Amino acid sequence: QLQASGGGLVRPGGSLRLSCAASGFQFDDYSVGWFRQAPGKEREGISCTYKNGIIKYYEDSVKGRFTISRDNDKNTALLQMNSLKTDDTAVYYCATNCYDNGGVIEKGSHGTWGQGTLVTVSS
């Protein structure tokens, strides 16, 4: 089970940190990533880190602004989001078993989705 939290309302240029708490499985056996779905759009992968937290991938629109990390001792993944833009408004989800597919971050069929947390970037 994955539990995402940390969403909210923030002004453009602001920051938020999302958390994803894992329970009920061996967290460090899986990659973990973040996905988002904006209104009227398909869900997209934005970041993924592999089991050791060293290898990280980012979707182009968030590179340099978002940072993914994980703490396997605490069974937690984080997404630090800086310099937020109105286009970042979306429901954000964490998921296991993500991978980079030629620059596109995807979730494998056996991964687990967490419930979403809403991020609204607005002045």
Side-chain angles (χ1 to χ4, degrees):
Q1 180 178 344
L2 297 173
Q3 181 89 14
S5 62
L9 173 63
V10 64
R11 293 185 176 181
S15 298
L16 278 177
R17 188 175 74 169
L18 305 184
S19 295
C20 177
S23 61
F25 64 97
Q26 192 66 34
F27 180 65
D28 57 6
D29 276 351
Y30 296 89
S31 60
V32 63
W34 291 91
F35 297 73
R36 68 184 179 187
Q37 187 166 18
K41 295 186 178 180
E42 293 187 357
R43 185 153 45 186
E44 63 173 349
I46 58 171
S47 188
C48 175
T49 184
Y50 285 2
K51 298 176 186 180
N52 59 13
I54 296 175
I55 299 173
K56 302 178 182 181
Y57 297 97
Y58 297 95
E59 192 271 332
D60 285 347
S61 70
V62 307
K63 282 180 181 175
R65 301 188 298 122
F66 291 9
T67 302
I68 190 171
S69 61
R70 65 187 296 164
D71 185 334
N72 288 336
D73 290 336
K74 296 181 178 179
N75 292 340
T76 300
L78 301 175
L79 185 69
Q80 178 66 42
M81 306 187 296
N82 298 328
S83 302
L84 282 161
K85 306 175 180 179
T86 55
D87 286 350
D88 295 318
T89 295
V91 178
Y92 284 70
Y93 303 85
C94 56
T96 57
N97 202 26
C98 60
Y99 62 98
D100 176 74
N101 184 15
V104 178
I105 295 167
E106 297 185 350
K107 175 189 160 299
S109 58
H110 297 295
T112 300
W113 286 108
Q115 95 293 350
T117 185
L118 176 62
V119 173
T120 303
V121 184
S122 175
S123 55

